[in-house]
């Protein structure tokens, strides 16, 4: 029999996603790296304490994932040959009285 909290959490899971794995807090603490690896691969894990779900571990929603990848455009962006040259009309406007 599921508690109300477990029913609420399972409502957030898509129909095609397998039932989340339940683990105790001690088990999570002892094997944190392995469980985080499973979550990174798409698994959802319910963390329990005294047979009650206290946390849900799952991959972040797409909106939380970084869209930027540093260095992704490396070698694709080029500066124009005249990038650091000041056009003559800009120099003229600086020399005029206001």
């Amino acid at each position: 029999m599921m508690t109300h909290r477990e029913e609420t959490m399972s409502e957030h899971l898509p129909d095609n996603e397998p039932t989340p794995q339940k683990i105790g807090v001690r088990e999570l603490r002892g094997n944190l790296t392995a469980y985080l690896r499973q979550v990174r691969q798409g698994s959802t894990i319910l963390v329990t304490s005294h047979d009650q779900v206290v946390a849900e571990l799952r991959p972040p929603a797409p909106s939380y994932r970084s869209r930027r990848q540093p260095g992704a455009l490396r070698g694709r962006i080029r500066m124009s040959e005249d990038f650091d040259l000041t056009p003559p009309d800009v120099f003229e406007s600086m020399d005029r009285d206001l």
Side-chain angles (χ1 to χ4, degrees), residues 48-91:
T48 61
S49 177
H50 304 289
D51 294 325
Q52 291 198 348
V53 175
V54 295
E56 181 177 359
L57 299 177
R58 62 179 162 183
S63 62
Y64 291 114
R65 293 187 182 134
S66 176
R67 292 184 201 138
R68 297 180 62 187
Q69 293 181 353
L73 297 177
R74 183 175 295 151
R76 295 183 185 180
I77 298 175
R78 302 275 182 230
M79 299 300 240
S80 172
E81 294 291 329
D82 63 349
F83 175 76
D84 60 349
L85 299 176
T86 306
D89 59 328
V90 173
F91 275 129

Side-chain angles (χ1 to χ4, degrees), residues 9-29:
M9 287 184 169
S10 66
E11 289 173 7
H12 297 292
L13 299 172
D15 292 334
N16 60 350
E17 192 168 316
T19 303
Q21 177 182 2
K22 287 185 185 180
I23 59 166
V25 174
R26 281 192 190 131
E27 175 70 17
L28 175 66
R29 204 176 325 158

Side-chain angles (χ1 to χ4, degrees), residues 27-38:
E27 175 70 17
L28 175 66
R29 204 176 325 158
N31 298 297
L32 182 60
T33 304
Y35 288 117
L36 290 178
R37 188 176 307 118
Q38 287 180 22

